[in-house]
Short mmCIF file of all heavy atoms in Angstrom, two decimals:
data_model
loop_
_atom_site.label_atom_id
_atom_site.label_comp_id
_atom_site.label_asym_id
_atom_site.label_seq_id
_atom_site.Cartn_x
_atom_site.Cartn_y
_atom_site.Cartn_z
N MET A 1000 22.98 5.22 6.02
CA MET A 1000 21.72 4.54 5.79
C MET A 1000 20.57 5.53 5.93
O MET A 1000 20.58 6.41 6.78
CB MET A 1000 21.57 3.39 6.79
CG MET A 1000 20.36 2.56 6.54
SD MET A 1000 20.51 1.04 7.51
CE MET A 1000 18.90 0.43 7.28
N PHE A 1001 19.57 5.42 5.08
CA PHE A 1001 18.45 6.34 5.14
C PHE A 1001 17.45 5.90 6.21
O PHE A 1001 17.51 4.80 6.73
CB PHE A 1001 17.78 6.48 3.77
CG PHE A 1001 17.24 5.17 3.21
CD1 PHE A 1001 15.92 4.82 3.39
CD2 PHE A 1001 18.06 4.32 2.50
CE1 PHE A 1001 15.42 3.64 2.88
CE2 PHE A 1001 17.56 3.13 1.99
CZ PHE A 1001 16.25 2.79 2.18
N ASN A 1002 16.53 6.78 6.53
CA ASN A 1002 15.56 6.54 7.59
C ASN A 1002 14.46 5.60 7.08
O ASN A 1002 13.49 6.03 6.46
CB ASN A 1002 14.97 7.87 8.05
CG ASN A 1002 14.06 7.73 9.24
OD1 ASN A 1002 13.60 6.64 9.57
ND2 ASN A 1002 13.78 8.85 9.87
N THR A 1003 14.62 4.30 7.33
CA THR A 1003 13.64 3.32 6.83
C THR A 1003 12.31 3.43 7.55
O THR A 1003 11.28 3.11 6.97
CB THR A 1003 14.18 1.88 6.96
OG1 THR A 1003 14.51 1.62 8.32
CG2 THR A 1003 15.40 1.68 6.07
N ASN A 1004 12.32 3.88 8.80
CA ASN A 1004 11.06 4.03 9.52
C ASN A 1004 10.19 5.10 8.84
O ASN A 1004 8.98 4.91 8.67
CB ASN A 1004 11.31 4.38 10.98
CG ASN A 1004 10.04 4.39 11.79
OD1 ASN A 1004 9.25 3.45 11.71
ND2 ASN A 1004 9.83 5.45 12.54
N MET A 1005 10.82 6.21 8.45
CA MET A 1005 10.06 7.26 7.77
C MET A 1005 9.52 6.74 6.43
O MET A 1005 8.35 6.96 6.10
CB MET A 1005 10.93 8.49 7.54
CG MET A 1005 10.16 9.63 6.85
SD MET A 1005 11.18 11.08 6.54
CE MET A 1005 12.24 10.48 5.25
N LEU A 1006 10.36 6.04 5.67
CA LEU A 1006 9.92 5.49 4.40
C LEU A 1006 8.78 4.51 4.61
O LEU A 1006 7.80 4.52 3.87
CB LEU A 1006 11.09 4.81 3.68
CG LEU A 1006 10.74 4.14 2.36
CD1 LEU A 1006 10.17 5.13 1.36
CD2 LEU A 1006 11.96 3.45 1.78
N HIS A 1007 8.90 3.68 5.62
CA HIS A 1007 7.86 2.71 5.95
C HIS A 1007 6.53 3.42 6.21
O HIS A 1007 5.47 3.01 5.71
CB HIS A 1007 8.31 1.93 7.19
CG HIS A 1007 7.53 0.71 7.48
ND1 HIS A 1007 6.50 0.69 8.38
CD2 HIS A 1007 7.63 -0.55 6.98
CE1 HIS A 1007 6.01 -0.53 8.43
NE2 HIS A 1007 6.67 -1.30 7.60
N ASN A 1008 6.56 4.51 6.95
CA ASN A 1008 5.34 5.25 7.26
C ASN A 1008 4.80 6.01 6.05
O ASN A 1008 3.59 6.11 5.87
CB ASN A 1008 5.57 6.18 8.45
CG ASN A 1008 5.69 5.40 9.73
OD1 ASN A 1008 4.92 4.49 9.99
ND2 ASN A 1008 6.68 5.73 10.54
N VAL A 1009 5.68 6.51 5.21
CA VAL A 1009 5.23 7.15 3.97
C VAL A 1009 4.51 6.12 3.09
O VAL A 1009 3.46 6.42 2.51
CB VAL A 1009 6.42 7.79 3.22
CG1 VAL A 1009 6.05 8.18 1.80
CG2 VAL A 1009 6.92 9.01 3.98
N LEU A 1010 5.06 4.91 3.01
CA LEU A 1010 4.40 3.86 2.23
C LEU A 1010 3.05 3.51 2.82
O LEU A 1010 2.09 3.27 2.08
CB LEU A 1010 5.29 2.63 2.13
CG LEU A 1010 6.55 2.80 1.29
CD1 LEU A 1010 7.46 1.60 1.45
CD2 LEU A 1010 6.19 3.02 -0.17
N ASN A 1011 2.93 3.49 4.15
CA ASN A 1011 1.64 3.26 4.78
C ASN A 1011 0.62 4.30 4.34
O ASN A 1011 -0.53 3.99 4.03
CB ASN A 1011 1.76 3.27 6.30
CG ASN A 1011 2.32 1.99 6.86
OD1 ASN A 1011 2.23 0.94 6.24
ND2 ASN A 1011 2.89 2.08 8.04
N VAL A 1012 1.04 5.56 4.31
CA VAL A 1012 0.15 6.64 3.89
C VAL A 1012 -0.25 6.47 2.42
O VAL A 1012 -1.42 6.61 2.06
CB VAL A 1012 0.81 8.02 4.12
CG1 VAL A 1012 0.02 9.13 3.47
CG2 VAL A 1012 0.95 8.29 5.61
N LEU A 1013 0.71 6.12 1.58
CA LEU A 1013 0.41 5.95 0.15
C LEU A 1013 -0.54 4.78 -0.08
O LEU A 1013 -1.44 4.86 -0.93
CB LEU A 1013 1.70 5.76 -0.64
CG LEU A 1013 2.60 6.99 -0.71
CD1 LEU A 1013 3.92 6.65 -1.41
CD2 LEU A 1013 1.90 8.14 -1.42
N ILE A 1014 -0.38 3.69 0.67
CA ILE A 1014 -1.28 2.55 0.54
C ILE A 1014 -2.69 2.96 0.98
O ILE A 1014 -3.68 2.60 0.35
CB ILE A 1014 -0.75 1.35 1.33
CG1 ILE A 1014 0.51 0.80 0.63
CG2 ILE A 1014 -1.81 0.25 1.46
CD1 ILE A 1014 1.29 -0.19 1.45
N THR A 1015 -2.76 3.75 2.04
CA THR A 1015 -4.06 4.25 2.49
C THR A 1015 -4.70 5.15 1.43
O THR A 1015 -5.90 5.05 1.17
CB THR A 1015 -3.90 5.01 3.82
OG1 THR A 1015 -3.33 4.13 4.78
CG2 THR A 1015 -5.23 5.52 4.33
N LEU A 1016 -3.88 5.98 0.81
CA LEU A 1016 -4.41 6.85 -0.24
C LEU A 1016 -4.89 6.05 -1.45
O LEU A 1016 -5.81 6.47 -2.15
CB LEU A 1016 -3.36 7.88 -0.65
CG LEU A 1016 -3.06 8.96 0.38
CD1 LEU A 1016 -1.92 9.86 -0.11
CD2 LEU A 1016 -4.29 9.80 0.69
N SER A 1017 -4.29 4.90 -1.69
CA SER A 1017 -4.75 4.07 -2.80
C SER A 1017 -6.16 3.55 -2.55
O SER A 1017 -6.94 3.36 -3.48
CB SER A 1017 -3.77 2.93 -3.08
OG SER A 1017 -3.73 2.04 -2.00
N ALA A 1018 -6.50 3.34 -1.27
CA ALA A 1018 -7.88 2.98 -0.95
C ALA A 1018 -8.82 4.13 -1.30
O ALA A 1018 -9.94 3.92 -1.78
CB ALA A 1018 -8.01 2.62 0.51
N LEU A 1019 -8.34 5.35 -1.11
CA LEU A 1019 -9.12 6.52 -1.51
C LEU A 1019 -9.32 6.53 -3.02
O LEU A 1019 -10.39 6.91 -3.51
CB LEU A 1019 -8.42 7.81 -1.06
CG LEU A 1019 -9.05 9.12 -1.49
CD1 LEU A 1019 -10.44 9.26 -0.90
CD2 LEU A 1019 -8.17 10.28 -1.09
N LEU A 1020 -8.31 6.08 -3.76
CA LEU A 1020 -8.44 6.01 -5.22
C LEU A 1020 -9.56 5.06 -5.63
O LEU A 1020 -10.30 5.33 -6.58
CB LEU A 1020 -7.12 5.59 -5.85
CG LEU A 1020 -7.07 5.55 -7.38
CD1 LEU A 1020 -7.48 6.89 -7.99
CD2 LEU A 1020 -5.69 5.16 -7.85
N VAL A 1021 -9.72 3.96 -4.90
CA VAL A 1021 -10.83 3.05 -5.18
C VAL A 1021 -12.16 3.77 -4.99
O VAL A 1021 -13.08 3.65 -5.80
CB VAL A 1021 -10.76 1.78 -4.31
CG1 VAL A 1021 -12.02 0.94 -4.46
CG2 VAL A 1021 -9.54 0.96 -4.66
N ALA A 1022 -12.25 4.56 -3.93
CA ALA A 1022 -13.47 5.33 -3.70
C ALA A 1022 -13.72 6.32 -4.83
O ALA A 1022 -14.85 6.52 -5.27
CB ALA A 1022 -13.39 6.06 -2.36
N ILE A 1023 -12.63 6.91 -5.33
CA ILE A 1023 -12.76 7.85 -6.46
C ILE A 1023 -13.23 7.11 -7.70
O ILE A 1023 -14.08 7.60 -8.46
CB ILE A 1023 -11.44 8.59 -6.70
CG1 ILE A 1023 -11.16 9.54 -5.54
CG2 ILE A 1023 -11.45 9.34 -8.03
CD1 ILE A 1023 -9.77 10.14 -5.54
N LEU A 1024 -12.69 5.90 -7.93
CA LEU A 1024 -13.14 5.10 -9.07
C LEU A 1024 -14.64 4.85 -8.99
O LEU A 1024 -15.37 4.98 -9.98
CB LEU A 1024 -12.39 3.76 -9.12
CG LEU A 1024 -10.94 3.79 -9.55
CD1 LEU A 1024 -10.31 2.41 -9.35
CD2 LEU A 1024 -10.81 4.22 -11.00
N LEU A 1025 -15.10 4.49 -7.81
CA LEU A 1025 -16.53 4.23 -7.64
C LEU A 1025 -17.35 5.50 -7.84
O LEU A 1025 -18.45 5.47 -8.41
CB LEU A 1025 -16.80 3.63 -6.26
CG LEU A 1025 -16.24 2.22 -6.05
CD1 LEU A 1025 -16.37 1.81 -4.59
CD2 LEU A 1025 -16.92 1.22 -6.96
N ALA A 1026 -16.81 6.65 -7.41
CA ALA A 1026 -17.52 7.92 -7.56
C ALA A 1026 -17.53 8.42 -9.00
O ALA A 1026 -18.41 9.20 -9.37
CB ALA A 1026 -16.91 8.97 -6.64
N THR A 1027 -16.57 7.98 -9.81
CA THR A 1027 -16.48 8.48 -11.19
C THR A 1027 -17.12 7.56 -12.21
O THR A 1027 -16.92 7.73 -13.41
CB THR A 1027 -15.02 8.73 -11.60
OG1 THR A 1027 -14.29 7.51 -11.51
CG2 THR A 1027 -14.38 9.80 -10.75
N GLY A 1028 -17.86 6.56 -11.75
CA GLY A 1028 -18.60 5.74 -12.70
C GLY A 1028 -18.34 4.26 -12.65
O GLY A 1028 -19.04 3.48 -13.28
N CYS A 1029 -17.33 3.83 -11.91
CA CYS A 1029 -17.11 2.39 -11.77
C CYS A 1029 -18.22 1.81 -10.88
O CYS A 1029 -18.72 2.48 -10.00
CB CYS A 1029 -15.76 2.09 -11.12
SG CYS A 1029 -14.34 2.49 -12.15
N THR A 1030 -18.55 0.58 -11.14
CA THR A 1030 -19.50 -0.11 -10.29
C THR A 1030 -18.89 -1.45 -9.89
O THR A 1030 -18.09 -2.03 -10.63
CB THR A 1030 -20.84 -0.37 -11.01
OG1 THR A 1030 -20.59 -1.07 -12.22
CG2 THR A 1030 -21.55 0.93 -11.32
N GLN A 1031 -19.27 -1.90 -8.71
CA GLN A 1031 -18.77 -3.20 -8.24
C GLN A 1031 -19.83 -4.25 -8.57
O GLN A 1031 -20.97 -4.16 -8.15
CB GLN A 1031 -18.49 -3.18 -6.75
CG GLN A 1031 -17.82 -4.44 -6.27
CD GLN A 1031 -17.37 -4.35 -4.83
OE1 GLN A 1031 -17.71 -3.42 -4.12
NE2 GLN A 1031 -16.60 -5.32 -4.40
N LEU A 1032 -19.42 -5.26 -9.33
CA LEU A 1032 -20.32 -6.33 -9.72
C LEU A 1032 -20.52 -7.30 -8.56
O LEU A 1032 -19.82 -7.24 -7.56
CB LEU A 1032 -19.77 -7.05 -10.95
CG LEU A 1032 -19.50 -6.17 -12.19
CD1 LEU A 1032 -18.89 -7.00 -13.30
CD2 LEU A 1032 -20.77 -5.49 -12.64
N ALA A 1033 -21.47 -8.21 -8.69
CA ALA A 1033 -21.79 -9.16 -7.63
C ALA A 1033 -20.60 -10.02 -7.24
O ALA A 1033 -20.47 -10.43 -6.09
CB ALA A 1033 -22.96 -10.04 -8.05
N ASP A 1034 -19.69 -10.28 -8.19
CA ASP A 1034 -18.52 -11.10 -7.89
C ASP A 1034 -17.34 -10.28 -7.36
O ASP A 1034 -16.25 -10.80 -7.17
CB ASP A 1034 -18.09 -11.92 -9.11
CG ASP A 1034 -17.74 -11.04 -10.30
OD1 ASP A 1034 -17.81 -9.80 -10.19
OD2 ASP A 1034 -17.40 -11.61 -11.35
N GLY A 1035 -17.54 -8.98 -7.12
CA GLY A 1035 -16.50 -8.13 -6.54
C GLY A 1035 -15.65 -7.39 -7.53
O GLY A 1035 -14.84 -6.55 -7.16
N ILE A 1036 -15.79 -7.69 -8.82
CA ILE A 1036 -14.99 -7.04 -9.85
C ILE A 1036 -15.48 -5.62 -10.08
O ILE A 1036 -16.68 -5.36 -10.07
CB ILE A 1036 -15.06 -7.85 -11.16
CG1 ILE A 1036 -14.40 -9.22 -10.97
CG2 ILE A 1036 -14.41 -7.09 -12.32
CD1 ILE A 1036 -14.52 -10.13 -12.16
N LEU A 1037 -14.53 -4.69 -10.26
CA LEU A 1037 -14.91 -3.33 -10.62
C LEU A 1037 -15.11 -3.25 -12.13
O LEU A 1037 -14.22 -3.62 -12.90
CB LEU A 1037 -13.83 -2.33 -10.20
CG LEU A 1037 -13.73 -1.99 -8.72
CD1 LEU A 1037 -12.57 -1.03 -8.48
CD2 LEU A 1037 -15.02 -1.39 -8.20
N GLU A 1038 -16.23 -2.75 -12.53
CA GLU A 1038 -16.54 -2.54 -13.95
C GLU A 1038 -16.45 -1.05 -14.19
O GLU A 1038 -17.18 -0.27 -13.58
CB GLU A 1038 -17.94 -3.07 -14.25
CG GLU A 1038 -18.24 -3.25 -15.73
CD GLU A 1038 -18.46 -1.94 -16.45
OE1 GLU A 1038 -19.22 -1.10 -15.96
OE2 GLU A 1038 -17.85 -1.76 -17.51
N CYS A 1039 -15.50 -0.62 -15.04
CA CYS A 1039 -15.20 0.80 -15.18
C CYS A 1039 -15.35 1.32 -16.61
O CYS A 1039 -14.66 2.25 -17.00
CB CYS A 1039 -13.79 1.08 -14.68
SG CYS A 1039 -13.61 0.84 -12.91
N SER A 1040 -16.25 0.75 -17.38
CA SER A 1040 -16.41 1.23 -18.76
C SER A 1040 -16.94 2.66 -18.80
O SER A 1040 -16.75 3.36 -19.79
CB SER A 1040 -17.33 0.29 -19.55
OG SER A 1040 -18.63 0.25 -18.95
N GLN A 1041 -17.57 3.12 -17.73
CA GLN A 1041 -18.10 4.48 -17.68
C GLN A 1041 -17.14 5.47 -17.01
O GLN A 1041 -17.44 6.64 -16.90
CB GLN A 1041 -19.44 4.49 -16.92
CG GLN A 1041 -20.50 3.61 -17.53
CD GLN A 1041 -20.85 4.01 -18.95
OE1 GLN A 1041 -20.99 5.19 -19.25
NE2 GLN A 1041 -20.96 3.03 -19.83
N SER A 1042 -15.99 5.00 -16.57
CA SER A 1042 -15.03 5.85 -15.88
C SER A 1042 -13.82 6.13 -16.75
O SER A 1042 -13.43 5.30 -17.59
CB SER A 1042 -14.57 5.16 -14.58
OG SER A 1042 -13.60 5.95 -13.93
N ALA A 1043 -13.21 7.28 -16.56
CA ALA A 1043 -12.00 7.63 -17.30
C ALA A 1043 -10.76 6.96 -16.70
O ALA A 1043 -9.71 6.92 -17.32
CB ALA A 1043 -11.82 9.15 -17.31
N ILE A 1044 -10.87 6.44 -15.48
CA ILE A 1044 -9.75 5.81 -14.77
C ILE A 1044 -10.02 4.32 -14.67
O ILE A 1044 -11.07 3.91 -14.21
CB ILE A 1044 -9.59 6.40 -13.36
CG1 ILE A 1044 -9.47 7.92 -13.39
CG2 ILE A 1044 -8.38 5.79 -12.66
CD1 ILE A 1044 -9.59 8.56 -12.03
N GLY A 1045 -9.07 3.50 -15.06
CA GLY A 1045 -9.24 2.06 -14.97
C GLY A 1045 -8.78 1.51 -13.64
O GLY A 1045 -7.86 2.04 -13.02
N PRO A 1046 -9.39 0.43 -13.16
CA PRO A 1046 -9.00 -0.14 -11.86
C PRO A 1046 -7.62 -0.79 -11.88
O PRO A 1046 -7.03 -1.01 -10.83
CB PRO A 1046 -10.09 -1.18 -11.58
CG PRO A 1046 -10.60 -1.54 -12.93
CD PRO A 1046 -10.48 -0.31 -13.77
N GLY A 1047 -7.09 -1.06 -13.04
CA GLY A 1047 -5.74 -1.63 -13.12
C GLY A 1047 -4.69 -0.72 -12.53
O GLY A 1047 -3.70 -1.18 -11.95
N TYR A 1048 -4.89 0.59 -12.65
CA TYR A 1048 -3.94 1.54 -12.08
C TYR A 1048 -3.92 1.42 -10.56
O TYR A 1048 -2.87 1.46 -9.93
CB TYR A 1048 -4.29 2.98 -12.47
CG TYR A 1048 -4.11 3.25 -13.94
CD1 TYR A 1048 -5.21 3.53 -14.75
CD2 TYR A 1048 -2.86 3.22 -14.54
CE1 TYR A 1048 -5.06 3.76 -16.10
CE2 TYR A 1048 -2.69 3.45 -15.89
CZ TYR A 1048 -3.80 3.73 -16.67
OH TYR A 1048 -3.64 3.96 -18.00
N THR A 1049 -5.09 1.28 -9.97
CA THR A 1049 -5.16 1.13 -8.52
C THR A 1049 -4.51 -0.16 -8.07
O THR A 1049 -3.74 -0.18 -7.11
CB THR A 1049 -6.63 1.16 -8.05
OG1 THR A 1049 -7.23 2.37 -8.51
CG2 THR A 1049 -6.73 1.11 -6.54
N ALA A 1050 -4.82 -1.25 -8.75
CA ALA A 1050 -4.24 -2.54 -8.39
C ALA A 1050 -2.72 -2.50 -8.50
O ALA A 1050 -2.01 -3.01 -7.62
CB ALA A 1050 -4.82 -3.64 -9.27
N ALA A 1051 -2.20 -1.90 -9.55
CA ALA A 1051 -0.75 -1.81 -9.73
C ALA A 1051 -0.12 -0.95 -8.64
O ALA A 1051 0.95 -1.28 -8.12
CB ALA A 1051 -0.43 -1.24 -11.11
N ALA A 1052 -0.78 0.14 -8.28
CA ALA A 1052 -0.25 1.02 -7.24
C ALA A 1052 -0.20 0.31 -5.89
O ALA A 1052 0.81 0.36 -5.18
CB ALA A 1052 -1.09 2.29 -7.13
N VAL A 1053 -1.28 -0.37 -5.53
CA VAL A 1053 -1.32 -1.08 -4.25
C VAL A 1053 -0.27 -2.18 -4.22
O VAL A 1053 0.48 -2.32 -3.25
CB VAL A 1053 -2.72 -1.65 -3.97
CG1 VAL A 1053 -2.71 -2.57 -2.77
CG2 VAL A 1053 -3.72 -0.53 -3.76
N ALA A 1054 -0.17 -2.96 -5.29
CA ALA A 1054 0.80 -4.06 -5.34
C ALA A 1054 2.23 -3.53 -5.28
O ALA A 1054 3.07 -4.05 -4.54
CB ALA A 1054 0.59 -4.88 -6.60
N GLY A 1055 2.52 -2.48 -6.04
CA GLY A 1055 3.86 -1.92 -6.06
C GLY A 1055 4.27 -1.33 -4.72
O GLY A 1055 5.38 -1.56 -4.23
N LEU A 1056 3.37 -0.56 -4.10
CA LEU A 1056 3.69 0.05 -2.81
C LEU A 1056 3.84 -1.01 -1.72
O LEU A 1056 4.73 -0.92 -0.88
CB LEU A 1056 2.60 1.05 -2.43
CG LEU A 1056 2.53 2.31 -3.29
CD1 LEU A 1056 1.27 3.11 -2.97
CD2 LEU A 1056 3.77 3.16 -3.10
N SER A 1057 2.99 -2.02 -1.75
CA SER A 1057 3.10 -3.09 -0.76
C SER A 1057 4.41 -3.87 -0.92
O SER A 1057 5.06 -4.21 0.07
CB SER A 1057 1.90 -4.03 -0.86
OG SER A 1057 0.71 -3.33 -0.57
N ALA A 1058 4.79 -4.16 -2.15
CA ALA A 1058 6.05 -4.87 -2.40
C ALA A 1058 7.23 -4.02 -1.95
O ALA A 1058 8.19 -4.54 -1.36
CB ALA A 1058 6.17 -5.22 -3.88
N LEU A 1059 7.18 -2.72 -2.20
CA LEU A 1059 8.25 -1.83 -1.76
C LEU A 1059 8.35 -1.80 -0.24
O LEU A 1059 9.44 -1.83 0.33
CB LEU A 1059 8.03 -0.42 -2.32
CG LEU A 1059 9.10 0.61 -2.03
CD1 LEU A 1059 10.46 0.15 -2.54
CD2 LEU A 1059 8.71 1.94 -2.67
N LYS A 1060 7.20 -1.79 0.43
CA LYS A 1060 7.19 -1.80 1.89
C LYS A 1060 7.82 -3.07 2.43
O LYS A 1060 8.61 -3.03 3.38
CB LYS A 1060 5.74 -1.66 2.37
CG LYS A 1060 5.60 -1.53 3.84
CD LYS A 1060 4.15 -1.29 4.20
CE LYS A 1060 3.97 -1.45 5.69
NZ LYS A 1060 2.60 -1.37 6.10
N ILE A 1061 7.51 -4.22 1.85
CA ILE A 1061 8.11 -5.48 2.28
C ILE A 1061 9.61 -5.48 2.00
O ILE A 1061 10.41 -5.93 2.83
CB ILE A 1061 7.41 -6.67 1.59
CG1 ILE A 1061 5.98 -6.81 2.13
CG2 ILE A 1061 8.19 -7.97 1.80
CD1 ILE A 1061 5.11 -7.76 1.36
N ALA A 1062 10.01 -4.94 0.86
CA ALA A 1062 11.44 -4.86 0.54
C ALA A 1062 12.20 -4.00 1.54
O ALA A 1062 13.31 -4.35 1.96
CB ALA A 1062 11.63 -4.32 -0.88
N VAL A 1063 11.59 -2.89 1.96
CA VAL A 1063 12.22 -2.03 2.96
C VAL A 1063 12.38 -2.80 4.27
O VAL A 1063 13.43 -2.74 4.92
CB VAL A 1063 11.41 -0.74 3.18
CG1 VAL A 1063 11.87 0.01 4.43
CG2 VAL A 1063 11.52 0.16 1.96
N ASN A 1064 11.35 -3.54 4.66
CA ASN A 1064 11.44 -4.34 5.88
C ASN A 1064 12.56 -5.37 5.79
O ASN A 1064 13.30 -5.57 6.75
CB ASN A 1064 10.12 -5.06 6.17
CG ASN A 1064 9.07 -4.13 6.73
OD1 ASN A 1064 9.37 -3.04 7.17
ND2 ASN A 1064 7.83 -4.56 6.69
N ILE A 1065 12.70 -6.02 4.65
CA ILE A 1065 13.75 -7.03 4.48
C ILE A 1065 15.13 -6.38 4.50
O ILE A 1065 16.05 -6.89 5.12
CB ILE A 1065 13.52 -7.83 3.18
CG1 ILE A 1065 12.28 -8.72 3.34
CG2 ILE A 1065 14.74 -8.67 2.84
CD1 ILE A 1065 11.84 -9.41 2.07
N MET A 1066 15.29 -5.23 3.84
CA MET A 1066 16.58 -4.53 3.85
C MET A 1066 16.94 -4.09 5.27
O MET A 1066 18.10 -4.16 5.67
CB MET A 1066 16.53 -3.30 2.95
CG MET A 1066 16.52 -3.62 1.49
SD MET A 1066 16.57 -2.20 0.36
CE MET A 1066 16.03 -0.82 1.28
N ARG A 1067 15.96 -3.66 6.03
CA ARG A 1067 16.21 -3.14 7.38
C ARG A 1067 16.48 -4.26 8.38
O ARG A 1067 17.41 -4.17 9.16
CB ARG A 1067 15.01 -2.29 7.83
CG ARG A 1067 15.17 -1.69 9.21
CD ARG A 1067 14.00 -0.84 9.60
NE ARG A 1067 12.79 -1.66 9.62
CZ ARG A 1067 11.58 -1.16 9.74
NH1 ARG A 1067 11.41 0.15 9.83
NH2 ARG A 1067 10.53 -1.94 9.76
N ASP A 1068 15.64 -5.32 8.36
CA ASP A 1068 15.69 -6.34 9.40
C ASP A 1068 16.06 -7.73 8.91
O ASP A 1068 16.15 -8.65 9.71
CB ASP A 1068 14.33 -6.43 10.10
CG ASP A 1068 13.89 -5.11 10.71
OD1 ASP A 1068 14.76 -4.37 11.19
OD2 ASP A 1068 12.68 -4.82 10.70
N GLY A 1069 16.24 -7.92 7.61
CA GLY A 1069 16.50 -9.25 7.06
C GLY A 1069 15.20 -10.03 6.93
O GLY A 1069 14.17 -9.64 7.45
N VAL A 1070 15.27 -11.16 6.24
CA VAL A 1070 14.08 -11.97 6.01
C VAL A 1070 13.51 -12.47 7.34
O VAL A 1070 12.29 -12.46 7.56
CB VAL A 1070 14.39 -13.15 5.06
CG1 VAL A 1070 13.19 -14.06 4.92
CG2 VAL A 1070 14.82 -12.63 3.69
N ALA A 1071 14.39 -12.88 8.26
CA ALA A 1071 13.92 -13.36 9.57
C ALA A 1071 13.21 -12.26 10.35
O ALA A 1071 12.34 -12.54 11.18
CB ALA A 1071 15.08 -13.92 10.37
N GLY A 1072 13.55 -11.01 10.07
CA GLY A 1072 12.91 -9.89 10.76
C GLY A 1072 11.45 -9.73 10.42
O GLY A 1072 10.72 -9.03 11.13
N LEU A 1073 11.00 -10.38 9.35
CA LEU A 1073 9.58 -10.27 8.98
C LEU A 1073 8.67 -10.99 9.97
O LEU A 1073 7.49 -10.67 10.06
CB LEU A 1073 9.35 -10.84 7.57
CG LEU A 1073 9.99 -10.08 6.42
CD1 LEU A 1073 9.77 -10.82 5.12
CD2 LEU A 1073 9.43 -8.67 6.33
N ILE A 1074 9.23 -11.94 10.72
CA ILE A 1074 8.38 -12.71 11.63
C ILE A 1074 8.80 -12.58 13.09
O ILE A 1074 8.11 -13.10 13.95
CB ILE A 1074 8.34 -14.20 11.22
CG1 ILE A 1074 9.75 -14.80 11.21
CG2 ILE A 1074 7.66 -14.38 9.89
CD1 ILE A 1074 9.78 -16.29 11.02
N LYS A 1075 9.90 -11.92 13.37
CA LYS A 1075 10.33 -11.83 14.77
C LYS A 1075 9.58 -10.70 15.49
O LYS A 1075 9.20 -9.71 14.86
CB LYS A 1075 11.83 -11.62 14.88
CG LYS A 1075 12.32 -10.23 14.59
CD LYS A 1075 13.81 -10.10 14.83
CE LYS A 1075 14.20 -8.65 14.68
NZ LYS A 1075 15.60 -8.43 14.87
N PRO A 1076 9.34 -10.85 16.79
CA PRO A 1076 8.67 -9.80 17.57
C PRO A 1076 9.53 -8.54 17.58
O PRO A 1076 10.75 -8.62 17.68
CB PRO A 1076 8.54 -10.38 18.98
CG PRO A 1076 8.78 -11.85 18.83
CD PRO A 1076 9.62 -12.04 17.60
N GLN A 1077 8.89 -7.40 17.50
CA GLN A 1077 9.60 -6.15 17.53
C GLN A 1077 9.87 -5.75 18.97
O GLN A 1077 9.04 -5.97 19.85
CB GLN A 1077 8.79 -5.06 16.82
CG GLN A 1077 8.63 -5.28 15.34
CD GLN A 1077 9.97 -5.25 14.62
OE1 GLN A 1077 10.74 -4.32 14.78
NE2 GLN A 1077 10.22 -6.26 13.82
N PRO A 1078 11.02 -5.12 19.22
CA PRO A 1078 11.32 -4.68 20.59
C PRO A 1078 10.43 -3.49 20.95
O PRO A 1078 9.95 -2.77 20.06
CB PRO A 1078 12.79 -4.24 20.50
CG PRO A 1078 13.00 -3.91 19.07
CD PRO A 1078 12.09 -4.83 18.29
N PRO A 1079 10.20 -3.27 22.25
CA PRO A 1079 9.40 -2.12 22.65
C PRO A 1079 10.12 -0.82 22.30
O PRO A 1079 11.34 -0.78 22.26
CB PRO A 1079 9.24 -2.29 24.16
CG PRO A 1079 10.34 -3.21 24.56
CD PRO A 1079 10.67 -4.06 23.37
N VAL A 1080 9.36 0.20 22.06
CA VAL A 1080 9.92 1.51 21.73
C VAL A 1080 10.40 2.17 23.01
O VAL A 1080 9.67 2.25 23.99
CB VAL A 1080 8.86 2.40 21.04
CG1 VAL A 1080 9.41 3.78 20.77
CG2 VAL A 1080 8.38 1.74 19.76
N SER A 1081 11.65 2.61 23.01
CA SER A 1081 12.16 3.30 24.20
C SER A 1081 11.93 4.80 24.06
O SER A 1081 11.96 5.36 22.97
CB SER A 1081 13.66 3.01 24.37
OG SER A 1081 14.37 3.48 23.25
N LYS A 1082 11.67 5.43 25.18
CA LYS A 1082 11.38 6.87 25.16
C LYS A 1082 12.58 7.67 25.59
O LYS A 1082 13.38 7.31 26.35
CB LYS A 1082 10.20 7.18 26.07
CG LYS A 1082 8.92 6.60 25.54
CD LYS A 1082 7.76 7.01 26.41
CE LYS A 1082 6.49 6.42 25.81
NZ LYS A 1082 5.31 6.85 26.49
#
């Protein structure tokens, strides 16, 4: 079995980096409208790429949790970390 904890943490980093991508979208010409929608007609990068990346990485992270701990593991308390 592969190291699911490492994969879980890598996915956390990638999800965090996707938030950076939103900042890049805003810096490259996207603007946030009053209703929260990103308008990117002036940007070379569309916000759909960011949304797809966040959704895909989050779904993968949940799948890893289910493979590692089962569906019930999504809601059970985690044991303390032993040193």
